[in-house]
Amino acid sequence: MLYGPVGFTDFWDESGFTSSQVIEALADLSGDIVVRLNSGGGIAMEGSAIYNALKRHDGRVIVKIDAIAASAASLIAMAGEEIEMPLGTLLMIHEPSGMTLGPADDHRRTAGVLDTMTGVFAQVYAKRTGHSEKEIRQMMKDETWMAPQEALANGFATSVSEHAPTASTADITFDYRSYAKAPDRLKRLATERKAMGLPMVAVASAPHERKEVAMTEPNVAPGDDQATTNLQDVNSRIYQLCTTAKMTLAEANKIVIEAKGDFARAQTMVINHLADQDPMGGRVSPTHFADSNCSVMVARDIEDALYARIAGKPAQGRASEWQGRSLLDMGAALLEARGERVISRNRDRLATQIMSSGTTHSTSDFPFVTGNAANRFLLDAYRAAETPLKQLARLRNAANFKAMTIGRMSEMPRLEEVLEGAEITYGSRSEAKETYRVKTYAKMFGISREALINDDLDAFSDTLRAFGQAAAQTEADLIADLLLDNDGLGPVLDDGVTLFANARGNKSVTPSALTISSVSEGRKALRDQKGLDNQTPLSLKPQFLIVGSGNETTGEQIIAAITPSATEEVNPFSGKLSLLVEPRLENDAWRLFASPDQAPILEIAYLNGVQQPKLETREGWNTFGTEFRAILDFGCGITGWRGAYLNEGL
């Protein structure tokens, strides 16, 4: 979740994110990821660094714009293979701006930097949308704001969702008055909060007085186009490097100018700059930078090889070079890649050195690399064992372990005729609420020094598989327990009545077997449900048929597609219901659920958006080796009752 300013943290709201935070988070992730974005913009170079970090990720990146992606945030959005914009969201592109204090030459250098950044960003937008760079530059100069359908038509989004945006409010930390053409509602939001402007944009003294920075394209001969493009690419990489080193814009400008398109020279300058900040002093040469990159590459290849070995798969790419190598060989190679001297080829002493290297907390420590590989395999096992009941749930992010309240407002009352001269009356809405909280579930295990010496990972992989499955089973047990509470009637809600009850009209009066006729009765019960005001018809549509293992075959027959020879043989539920089978549920009982987008019944939550178990490592204390602990921060609760129906079956 990337919410708030790009490149720093807002003091009051504690929102915002930096490229280093994103890069650190991505290091712990593998496979496909979803990036939820709600940002009014921020520091241009930070946005560029985050864009490139997401593009380097080894899985598919899906970007969902929860409310707004403006300025630097729009650049981040372009990293998604899929870019989803719900109705009501916004995306904006414009030319980057900057501020300089100094003589004329300093301003001219800043203008040159902005020209370069504009060109680089225009290339990103052009590649994504298929528009020419000239068209994109004009859109940037015009400060173009796009609703979802406009973004889709212009190639800045790949899909438009009709669901309400996840975040109902745009990034509230941003001063949208600094944009010349921001929608009035965003400017009012900024005025109310008296927001401060962000470094990427020049904040004007008053709305509408902001001067657009006039950017001119470099006047080059046709034969120099490629050279200009290459220089822009190199300068962009240099800016990303400076951002990672937390250098100021002025310091980055100086390095770009002095490097003159030589990236290796820029690397040396950045490293020496960092060395000068060190109280101990000591300047370094480019070879140290190369060594650092080498250790990271070796660590990544060994991680991939370890993952393949634990999972029983053939290693791919560079990782295949480590296939068949022992654990001690891999650990020793990591030590040497980091510049450490392997103190002994004695297997026992070498194992101790490899394990103790984890105390430095480096990404190339053997325990760290092993932990990454183990975490990937644990997640594979977890995902393979997930309960289908999670499809019924609405997902929520928990910020802490406090009880969370699920508030539900009733539907708006109908509009009433206003007679001539009469006043418009106020409408009232009723409210209901439920509570639950996230809890922590965890277990520890370890890989011993003996296993390392004996090159034995079999027990380790079996344990990881069991822990991944246990995490999924913990979630399944908690969700199923909600439905099975009170002999299958579900928990007692805040009105003192169980989830399923005849009084609610969501439970069959007479239990019956799973048939076309009984499912039809359940569908009618959902269609006839009223809102919290007990008046508004909801016309809910069943989407899921939930059964225990005893009704699986019958359930498949209920939803099967057939070619009828007569009208009475038509299957009305063919292709209209999804069958979910959960063995934890009763064999005879069956349930119908509407889509959680239409009428949520179940809500699940994870702490801080970590939607999976996580694996943490440390040097062994109780055992000689490395200790691991699998942690799952998870909670679930019932949000309401109108979107579900129970038949206790026969």
Side-chain angles (χ1 to χ4, degrees):
M1 294 184 67
L2 302 183
Y3 273 39
V6 179
F8 57 96
T9 302
D10 181 83
F11 177 79
W12 297 107
D13 292 270
E14 296 183 348
S15 62
F17 51 94
T18 65
S19 59
S20 59
Q21 290 173 328
V22 173
I23 292 170
E24 182 180 355
L26 287 173
D28 294 330
L29 299 174
S30 63
D32 299 348
I33 61 172
V34 174
V35 178
R36 309 201 73 96
L37 187 59
N38 182 14
S39 172
I43 301 174
M45 290 191 298
E46 285 281 283
S48 178
I50 294 170
Y51 164 84
N52 283 287
L54 292 172
K55 292 295 287 185
R56 290 192 299 268
H57 183 65
D58 60 1
R60 294 178 70 252
V61 176
I62 300 171
V63 174
K64 297 190 177 185
I65 298 176
D66 283 349
I68 188 171
S71 191
S74 69
L75 187 71
I76 295 172
M78 297 302 102
E81 292 185 38
E82 297 178 25
I83 305 172
E84 178 184 315
M85 292 183 67
L87 296 178
T89 59
L90 289 171
L91 183 143
M92 185 273 280
I93 67 170
H94 72 157
E95 294 176 321
S97 306
M99 299 173 65
T100 308
L101 291 176
D105 284 344
D106 288 347
H107 292 288
R108 277 188 280 268
R109 279 193 289 269
T110 297
V113 170
L114 292 173
D115 270 334
T116 299
M117 294 167 67
T118 300
V120 171
F121 295 177
Q123 290 174 7
V124 173
Y125 293 132
K127 182 177 180 180
R128 155 59 67 179
T129 63
H131 289 293
S132 68
E133 286 188 37
K134 183 176 181 180
E135 291 173 316
I136 292 294
R137 279 175 176 265
Q138 188 60 51
M139 293 179 71
M140 295 172 71
K141 186 180 290 292
D142 292 342
E143 188 182 296
T144 303
W145 292 79
M146 288 170 275
Q149 295 291 359
E150 295 171 297
L152 181 65
N154 284 314
F156 289 89
T158 60
S159 64
V160 175
S161 168
E162 294 184 357
H163 303 311
T166 300
S168 58
T169 305
D171 171 20
I172 59 176
T173 63
F174 201 86
D175 188 357
Y176 296 98
R177 296 170 300 177
S178 60
Y179 294 143
K181 300 179 181 179
D184 289 341
R185 64 182 177 86
L186 295 182
K187 290 182 178 180
R188 286 196 299 270
L189 177 67
T191 300
E192 292 168 357
R193 290 181 55 84
K194 296 182 179 179
M196 302 257 330
L198 298 182
M200 183 180 173
V201 291
V203 182
S205 57
H208 307 298
E209 292 183 2
R210 173 180 178 269
K211 289 186 177 181
E212 293 293 325
V213 180
M215 298 297 174
T216 58
E217 296 186 45
N219 206 2
V220 296
D224 294 333
D225 287 348
Q226 186 60 47
T228 301
T229 300
N230 291 340
L231 179 62
Q232 290 176 341
D233 290 342
V234 172
N235 286 343
S236 176
R237 292 172 62 201
I238 294 174
Y239 278 122
Q240 294 164 25
L241 184 63
C242 293
T243 299
T244 304
K246 302 186 183 301
M247 298 172 66
T248 66
L249 180 59
E251 291 167 340
N253 291 346
K254 181 179 179 182
I255 288 180
V256 168
I257 293 169
E258 295 182 3
K260 297 179 180 179
D262 187 338
F263 186 71
R265 183 179 180 186
Q267 286 180 326
T268 303
M269 294 170 66
V270 170
I271 295 170
N272 285 331
H273 169 83
L274 295 175
D276 289 339
Q277 313 306 310
D278 186 354
M280 301 300 292
R283 297 170 69 80
V284 296
S285 67
T287 56
H288 291 81
F289 194 90
D291 289 344
S292 175
N293 283 342
C294 177
S295 66
V296 171
M297 290 178 62
V298 171
R300 187 171 298 173
D301 294 343
I302 289 178
E303 176 191 323
D304 290 342
L306 282 172
Y307 166 71
R309 181 171 170 182
I310 294 172
K313 304 175 181 177
Q316 304 293 325
R318 291 199 308 265
S320 61
E321 298 175 8
W322 296 95
Q323 196 163 350
R325 303 279 290 274
S326 71
L327 298 177
L328 288 178
D329 286 342
M330 295 181 184
L334 284 172
L335 293 174
E336 292 171 344
R338 286 173 44 190
E340 293 189 27
R341 184 171 62 88
V342 177
I343 58 177
S344 175
R345 288 297 176 181
N346 177 281
R347 299 174 69 85
D348 182 43
R349 294 183 62 191
L350 178 57
T352 301
Q353 183 185 6
I354 290 170
M355 289 298 192
S356 62
S357 69
T359 59
T360 63
H361 305 294
S362 166
T363 56
S364 56
D365 287 337
F366 185 78
F368 186 92
V369 171
T370 307
N372 282 349
N375 193 57
R376 289 165 61 181
F377 181 67
L378 179 139
L379 293 181
D380 288 345
Y382 162 76
R383 288 167 180 151
E386 282 185 299
T387 174
L389 296 181
K390 290 175 69 174
Q391 297 180 53
L392 306 174
R394 180 175 62 185
L395 183 63
R396 185 172 179 179
N397 178 45
N400 50 49
F401 294 101
K402 295 179 181 178
M404 294 184 292
T405 300
I406 310 168
R408 303 189 308 280
M409 296 297 295
S410 69
E411 296 69 27
M412 286 297 295
R414 294 180 179 86
L415 301 182
E416 298 176 347
E417 179 185 1
V418 180
L419 301 176
E420 183 178 356
E423 293 183 350
I424 302 174
T425 60
Y426 285 95
S428 60
R429 305 176 72 184
S430 55
E431 182 180 8
K433 61 183 179 180
E434 308 294 338
T435 60
Y436 73 100
R437 68 186 183 91
V438 166
K439 299 179 181 179
T440 298
Y441 306 87
K443 276 289 185 180
M444 290 184 64
F445 61 100
I447 178 172
S448 66
R449 183 179 59 173
E450 180 180 359
L452 182 62
I453 294 173
N454 293 340
D455 199 37
D456 181 11
L457 281 181
D458 290 342
F460 184 54
S461 62
D462 290 343
T463 303
L464 286 172
R465 182 181 292 105
F467 269 67
Q469 293 170 345
Q473 290 163 1
T474 298
E475 293 179 351
D477 289 343
L478 293 170
I479 296 173
D481 286 348
L482 285 174
L483 299 179
L484 294 174
D485 198 10
N486 293 308
D487 296 324
L489 299 181
V492 176
L493 304 187
D494 67 329
D495 59 2
V497 182
T498 54
L499 168 62
F500 298 103
N502 291 329
R504 298 193 189 279
N506 69 347
K507 175 181 175 293
S508 62
V509 177
T510 304
S512 60
L514 182 60
T515 63
I516 294 291
S517 176
S518 60
V519 173
S520 180
E521 291 178 6
R523 177 171 65 176
K524 182 179 185 303
L526 286 180
R527 288 289 192 187
D528 292 344
Q529 283 292 352
K530 300 292 194 298
L532 282 173
D533 58 4
N534 291 320
Q535 296 180 4
T536 305
L538 299 181
S539 188
L540 300 176
K541 174 185 176 182
Q543 180 171 330
F544 299 102
L545 172 62
I546 299 93
V547 300
S549 56
N551 262 330
E552 181 172 3
T553 300
T554 306
E556 290 176 338
Q557 293 172 336
I558 292 290
I559 66 173
I562 60 175
T563 304
S565 58
T567 303
E568 61 272 14
E569 296 178 0
V570 171
N571 181 0
F573 299 107
S574 173
K576 295 181 180 179
L577 291 174
S578 296
L579 179 66
L580 303 184
V581 181
E582 174 50 69
R584 291 169 175 79
L585 301 181
E586 315 93 317
N587 280 335
D588 295 330
W590 53 271
R591 298 164 176 83
L592 291 174
F593 272 68
S595 165
D597 293 329
Q598 186 183 24
I601 297 295
L602 175 67
E603 187 171 277
I604 61 176
Y606 296 89
L607 185 67
N608 295 326
V610 181
Q611 302 171 22
Q612 58 197 27
K614 58 183 178 180
L615 203 62
E616 296 180 348
T617 66
R618 72 169 183 176
E619 186 180 3
W621 182 257
N622 297 323
T623 62
F624 289 107
T626 300
E627 293 179 345
F628 298 84
R629 62 181 182 186
I631 302 173
L632 177 67
D633 296 312
F634 176 79
C636 59
I638 298 297
T639 68
W641 52 266
R642 288 172 173 80
Y645 173 83
L646 167 70
N647 188 308
E648 295 173 295
L650 287 178

